[in-house]
């Protein structure tokens, strides 16, 4: 049946969109700006708000990038900057949804019993190799720090 015949007969069914491909059926917040209403009403004020959010988010992301080679939670700070951007920009909201989905999938894969068993075996092998290397060092040089060895 086409839509015209339904309307003429007075039969209308509410259309509820289902989850899109690759999305779960869980409730996800709507995409778009989360600025207060009084800011969204004024175009100039909303544009200023967006510029401010972009600059703050950019500063946080840059600090996160600087922290990557340095001590500190670089990736965590980068994702915090993305979360700041996601309060205002749809592209950042989509990136965060994708990232959240991938992290959840990776966590589920890591909890797989076969993967856990493999990781446990590899960790044990690495620990045995490290212990053997320390034993060889102690036998050869004794309990002397590496920077104090005289050859």
């Amino acid at each position: 049946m086409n839509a015209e015949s339904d309307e003429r007969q007075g039969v209308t069914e509410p259309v509820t969109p289902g989850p899109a491909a690759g999305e779960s059926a869980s409730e996800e917040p709507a995409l778009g700006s989360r600025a207060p209403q009084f800011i969204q009403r004024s175009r100039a004020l909303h544009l200023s708000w967006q510029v401010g959010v972009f600059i703050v988010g950019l500063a946080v992301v840059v600090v996160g990038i600087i922290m990557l080679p340095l001590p500190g939670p670089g990736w965590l700070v980068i994702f915090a900057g993305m979360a700041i951007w996601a309060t205002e920009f749809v592209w950042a909201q989509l990136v965060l949804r994708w990232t959240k989905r991938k992290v959840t999938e990776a966590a589920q894969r890591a909890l797989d019993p076969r993967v856990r068993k493999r990781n446990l075996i590899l960790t044990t092998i690495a620990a045995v190799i490290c212990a053997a290397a320390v034993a060889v060092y102690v036998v050869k040089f004794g309990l002397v720090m590496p920077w104090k060895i005289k050859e």
Side-chain angles (χ1 to χ4, degrees):
M1 283 166 88
N2 61 25
E4 291 178 20
S5 63
D6 287 344
E7 289 175 7
R8 278 184 269 154
Q9 295 172 359
V11 178
T12 58
E13 295 179 22
V15 177
T16 56
E23 291 185 1
S24 63
S26 64
E27 289 290 322
E28 290 186 355
L31 297 174
S33 175
R34 292 188 180 95
Q37 281 296 329
F38 73 93
I39 290 177
Q40 289 184 8
R41 279 184 282 222
S42 169
R43 175 85 174 126
L45 190 58
H46 191 235
L47 188 60
S48 302
W49 178 271
Q50 285 181 328
V51 168
V53 167
F54 182 79
I55 290 172
V56 170
L58 182 65
V60 172
V61 168
V62 167
V63 167
I65 290 171
I66 291 170
M67 287 176 135
L68 284 176
L70 300 175
W75 284 110
L76 187 65
V77 174
I78 289 171
F79 290 133
M82 290 295 297
I84 291 170
W85 279 337
T87 62
E88 209 43 51
F89 304 107
V90 173
W91 62 267
Q93 293 168 2
L94 294 174
V95 167
L96 279 181
R97 282 185 185 178
W98 178 84
T99 304
K100 223 186 279 189
R101 192 170 53 246
K102 292 298 180 183
V103 166
T104 302
E105 290 171 7
Q108 288 173 349
R109 279 194 312 267
L111 294 176
D112 180 22
R114 291 177 297 166
V115 173
R116 288 183 65 178
K117 184 177 178 181
R118 182 199 65 203
N119 289 346
L120 185 60
I121 290 169
L122 290 174
T123 303
T124 304
I125 291 170
V128 167
I129 291 171
C130 288
V134 168
V136 167
Y137 175 83
V138 168
V139 166
K140 186 168 183 173
F141 300 107
L143 293 175
V144 179
M145 292 295 144
W147 52 86
K148 293 185 179 179
I149 295 176
K150 306 258 191 234
E151 290 195 50

